[in-house]
Amino acid sequence: MSKPTVTKLFLGSLIAGVAGGIMVFAAVLIAFANNVFVMNGPDVVGIQGGTMAWTLIGLTIVGALVITGAMIGGLVSWIGALLNTAQLEDKLWFVLLLVLGIVSLGLVAMIAYVIAGPDGTVERRLPSQAQVYGRT
């Protein structure tokens, strides 16, 4: 997978995750504002039935599915970045992405890779025989 593809997938997943989070947050906030939740002190003990409640539950489920898809997309982009950097002679980026991903800092590693990481799929130009033997 090339770096531009990894970058597009990662940024798309990041945007989708933020959008899903906003959707879930807004649905819960609207539910609290419209007394959809039955409260017993600070605890939610039930849900008032009705069209508003079912609409907000549906929005929350859709938002959660969008977040799940974004997480899967982020994982696929991380794996693509690992496969891309494994092709390089210098394995520093590969090890950095792998270790940070394993210790749950994959977001930081992927942001660094998108900004400054190398592309392992770029075709390297070999010197011609004339350049090797000093004849140009």
Side-chain angles (χ1 to χ4, degrees), residues 1-7 9 72-87 94 97 110 113 118-121:
M1 190 180 300
S2 67
K3 184 178 178 188
T5 304
V6 170
T7 301
L9 183 59
I72 292 169
L75 178 64
V76 169
S77 70
W78 176 68
I79 292 170
L82 283 173
L83 293 174
N84 188 335
T85 56
Q87 298 174 15
F94 175 77
L97 283 168
M110 284 301 296
Y113 175 74
D119 190 355
T121 60

Side-chain angles (χ1 to χ4, degrees), residues 93-126:
W93 275 100
F94 175 77
V95 172
L96 180 75
L97 283 168
L98 181 64
V99 171
L100 289 176
I102 289 173
V103 297
S104 297
L105 292 172
L107 180 66
V108 174
M110 284 301 296
I111 290 171
Y113 175 74
V114 165
I115 292 172
D119 190 355
T121 60
V122 173
E123 185 177 321
R124 291 176 192 85
R125 291 183 59 192
L126 296 175

Side-chain angles (χ1 to χ4, degrees), residues 60-80:
T60 303
I61 291 171
V62 169
L65 289 173
V66 169
I67 292 170
T68 303
M71 289 173 23
I72 292 169
L75 178 64
V76 169
S77 70
W78 176 68
I79 292 170

Side-chain angles (χ1 to χ4, degrees), residues 32 35-48:
F32 270 114
N35 295 321
V36 171
F37 296 121
V38 177
M39 305 293 290
N40 184 9
D43 300 326
V44 177
V45 294
I47 297 177
Q48 300 276 356

